[in-house]
PDB file of all heavy atoms in Angstrom:
ATOM      1  N   LEU A  20      63.625  53.764  88.075  1.00 97.00           N
ATOM      2  CA  LEU A  20      63.660  54.971  87.243  1.00 97.00           C
ATOM      3  C   LEU A  20      62.368  55.764  87.363  1.00 97.00           C
ATOM      4  O   LEU A  20      62.395  57.000  87.446  1.00 97.00           O
ATOM      5  CB  LEU A  20      63.933  54.603  85.785  1.00 97.00           C
ATOM      6  CG  LEU A  20      65.314  53.982  85.527  1.00 97.00           C
ATOM      7  CD1 LEU A  20      65.406  53.456  84.101  1.00 97.00           C
ATOM      8  CD2 LEU A  20      66.409  55.004  85.796  1.00 97.00           C
ATOM      9  N   ALA A  21      61.239  55.070  87.383  1.00 98.00           N
ATOM     10  CA  ALA A  21      59.956  55.761  87.547  1.00 98.00           C
ATOM     11  C   ALA A  21      59.894  56.446  88.911  1.00 98.00           C
ATOM     12  O   ALA A  21      59.464  57.591  89.025  1.00 98.00           O
ATOM     13  CB  ALA A  21      58.800  54.779  87.373  1.00 98.00           C
ATOM     14  N   ALA A  22      60.342  55.739  89.943  1.00 97.00           N
ATOM     15  CA  ALA A  22      60.361  56.324  91.288  1.00 97.00           C
ATOM     16  C   ALA A  22      61.271  57.552  91.333  1.00 97.00           C
ATOM     17  O   ALA A  22      60.945  58.558  91.972  1.00 97.00           O
ATOM     18  CB  ALA A  22      60.808  55.285  92.305  1.00 97.00           C
ATOM     19  N   ALA A  23      62.398  57.494  90.637  1.00 97.00           N
ATOM     20  CA  ALA A  23      63.331  58.631  90.609  1.00 97.00           C
ATOM     21  C   ALA A  23      62.705  59.843  89.929  1.00 97.00           C
ATOM     22  O   ALA A  23      62.892  60.980  90.379  1.00 97.00           O
ATOM     23  CB  ALA A  23      64.626  58.227  89.910  1.00 97.00           C
ATOM     24  N   VAL A  24      61.961  59.624  88.850  1.00 98.00           N
ATOM     25  CA  VAL A  24      61.274  60.733  88.162  1.00 98.00           C
ATOM     26  C   VAL A  24      60.276  61.393  89.109  1.00 98.00           C
ATOM     27  O   VAL A  24      60.249  62.617  89.261  1.00 98.00           O
ATOM     28  CB  VAL A  24      60.568  60.231  86.878  1.00 98.00           C
ATOM     29  CG1 VAL A  24      59.571  61.261  86.358  1.00 98.00           C
ATOM     30  CG2 VAL A  24      61.587  59.881  85.806  1.00 98.00           C
ATOM     31  N   ILE A  25      59.469  60.575  89.768  1.00 97.00           N
ATOM     32  CA  ILE A  25      58.460  61.114  90.685  1.00 97.00           C
ATOM     33  C   ILE A  25      59.121  61.850  91.839  1.00 97.00           C
ATOM     34  O   ILE A  25      58.729  62.974  92.187  1.00 97.00           O
ATOM     35  CB  ILE A  25      57.545  59.977  91.184  1.00 97.00           C
ATOM     36  CG1 ILE A  25      56.722  59.438  90.001  1.00 97.00           C
ATOM     37  CG2 ILE A  25      56.646  60.444  92.324  1.00 97.00           C
ATOM     38  CD1 ILE A  25      56.085  58.087  90.238  1.00 97.00           C
ATOM     39  N   GLY A  26      60.155  61.269  92.407  1.00 97.00           N
ATOM     40  CA  GLY A  26      60.880  61.925  93.498  1.00 97.00           C
ATOM     41  C   GLY A  26      61.483  63.251  93.083  1.00 97.00           C
ATOM     42  O   GLY A  26      61.452  64.224  93.841  1.00 97.00           O
ATOM     43  N   ALA A  27      62.017  63.311  91.858  1.00 97.00           N
ATOM     44  CA  ALA A  27      62.630  64.546  91.359  1.00 97.00           C
ATOM     45  C   ALA A  27      61.590  65.650  91.188  1.00 97.00           C
ATOM     46  O   ALA A  27      61.838  66.813  91.547  1.00 97.00           O
ATOM     47  CB  ALA A  27      63.345  64.278  90.035  1.00 97.00           C
ATOM     48  N   VAL A  28      60.432  65.308  90.645  1.00 97.00           N
ATOM     49  CA  VAL A  28      59.388  66.325  90.454  1.00 97.00           C
ATOM     50  C   VAL A  28      58.855  66.790  91.808  1.00 97.00           C
ATOM     51  O   VAL A  28      58.669  67.997  92.025  1.00 97.00           O
ATOM     52  CB  VAL A  28      58.255  65.805  89.541  1.00 97.00           C
ATOM     53  CG1 VAL A  28      57.126  66.828  89.464  1.00 97.00           C
ATOM     54  CG2 VAL A  28      58.787  65.492  88.144  1.00 97.00           C
ATOM     55  N   LEU A  29      58.641  65.871  92.723  1.00 96.00           N
ATOM     56  CA  LEU A  29      58.193  66.269  94.063  1.00 96.00           C
ATOM     57  C   LEU A  29      59.191  67.234  94.703  1.00 96.00           C
ATOM     58  O   LEU A  29      58.811  68.272  95.241  1.00 96.00           O
ATOM     59  CB  LEU A  29      58.007  65.031  94.952  1.00 96.00           C
ATOM     60  CG  LEU A  29      56.826  64.127  94.606  1.00 96.00           C
ATOM     61  CD1 LEU A  29      56.914  62.826  95.395  1.00 96.00           C
ATOM     62  CD2 LEU A  29      55.502  64.829  94.872  1.00 96.00           C
ATOM     63  N   ALA A  30      60.477  66.899  94.621  1.00 97.00           N
ATOM     64  CA  ALA A  30      61.518  67.755  95.209  1.00 97.00           C
ATOM     65  C   ALA A  30      61.542  69.128  94.553  1.00 97.00           C
ATOM     66  O   ALA A  30      61.723  70.146  95.233  1.00 97.00           O
ATOM     67  CB  ALA A  30      62.882  67.077  95.080  1.00 97.00           C
ATOM     68  N   GLU A  31      61.361  69.156  93.243  1.00 97.00           N
ATOM     69  CA  GLU A  31      61.350  70.430  92.503  1.00 97.00           C
ATOM     70  C   GLU A  31      60.297  71.379  93.062  1.00 97.00           C
ATOM     71  O   GLU A  31      60.492  72.593  93.095  1.00 97.00           O
ATOM     72  CB  GLU A  31      61.064  70.119  91.025  1.00 97.00           C
ATOM     73  CG  GLU A  31      60.938  71.328  90.137  1.00 97.00           C
ATOM     74  CD  GLU A  31      60.477  70.960  88.730  1.00 97.00           C
ATOM     75  OE1 GLU A  31      60.450  69.759  88.371  1.00 97.00           O
ATOM     76  OE2 GLU A  31      60.133  71.893  87.980  1.00 97.00           O
ATOM     77  N   TYR A  32      59.171  70.831  93.502  1.00 96.00           N
ATOM     78  CA  TYR A  32      58.076  71.652  94.016  1.00 96.00           C
ATOM     79  C   TYR A  32      58.052  71.712  95.539  1.00 96.00           C
ATOM     80  O   TYR A  32      57.079  72.164  96.141  1.00 96.00           O
ATOM     81  CB  TYR A  32      56.736  71.133  93.478  1.00 96.00           C
ATOM     82  CG  TYR A  32      56.529  71.489  92.020  1.00 96.00           C
ATOM     83  CD1 TYR A  32      56.937  70.624  91.008  1.00 96.00           C
ATOM     84  CD2 TYR A  32      55.959  72.704  91.655  1.00 96.00           C
ATOM     85  CE1 TYR A  32      56.764  70.948  89.676  1.00 96.00           C
ATOM     86  CE2 TYR A  32      55.781  73.044  90.327  1.00 96.00           C
ATOM     87  CZ  TYR A  32      56.189  72.160  89.335  1.00 96.00           C
ATOM     88  OH  TYR A  32      56.022  72.495  88.023  1.00 96.00           O
ATOM     89  N   GLY A  33      59.112  71.222  96.187  1.00 95.00           N
ATOM     90  CA  GLY A  33      59.197  71.299  97.638  1.00 95.00           C
ATOM     91  C   GLY A  33      58.325  70.295  98.367  1.00 95.00           C
ATOM     92  O   GLY A  33      58.014  70.482  99.547  1.00 95.00           O
ATOM     93  N   LEU A  34      57.949  69.228  97.672  1.00 95.00           N
ATOM     94  CA  LEU A  34      57.125  68.186  98.287  1.00 95.00           C
ATOM     95  C   LEU A  34      57.997  66.978  98.596  1.00 95.00           C
ATOM     96  O   LEU A  34      58.906  66.655  97.841  1.00 95.00           O
ATOM     97  CB  LEU A  34      55.986  67.788  97.334  1.00 95.00           C
ATOM     98  CG  LEU A  34      55.031  68.926  96.950  1.00 95.00           C
ATOM     99  CD1 LEU A  34      54.109  68.488  95.823  1.00 95.00           C
ATOM    100  CD2 LEU A  34      54.230  69.385  98.152  1.00 95.00           C
ATOM    101  N   GLY A  35      57.711  66.310  99.682  1.00 92.00           N
ATOM    102  CA  GLY A  35      58.555  65.193 100.101  1.00 92.00           C
ATOM    103  C   GLY A  35      58.182  63.862  99.471  1.00 92.00           C
ATOM    104  O   GLY A  35      57.021  63.605  99.168  1.00 92.00           O
ATOM    105  N   TRP A  36      59.179  63.015  99.282  1.00 94.00           N
ATOM    106  CA  TRP A  36      59.001  61.634  98.829  1.00 94.00           C
ATOM    107  C   TRP A  36      58.608  60.810 100.047  1.00 94.00           C
ATOM    108  O   TRP A  36      59.288  60.860 101.075  1.00 94.00           O
ATOM    109  CB  TRP A  36      60.309  61.153  98.206  1.00 94.00           C
ATOM    110  CG  TRP A  36      60.398  59.689  97.944  1.00 94.00           C
ATOM    111  CD1 TRP A  36      61.124  58.775  98.667  1.00 94.00           C
ATOM    112  CD2 TRP A  36      59.772  58.944  96.898  1.00 94.00           C
ATOM    113  NE1 TRP A  36      60.972  57.520  98.123  1.00 94.00           N
ATOM    114  CE2 TRP A  36      60.149  57.592  97.031  1.00 94.00           C
ATOM    115  CE3 TRP A  36      58.916  59.293  95.849  1.00 94.00           C
ATOM    116  CZ2 TRP A  36      59.709  56.589  96.170  1.00 94.00           C
ATOM    117  CZ3 TRP A  36      58.483  58.297  94.984  1.00 94.00           C
ATOM    118  CH2 TRP A  36      58.883  56.972  95.147  1.00 94.00           C
TER     119      TRP A  36
END
Side-chain angles (χ1 to χ4, degrees):
L20 295 171
V24 165
I25 293 163
V28 175
L29 290 170
E31 177 187 349
Y32 286 91
L34 300 170
W36 168 255

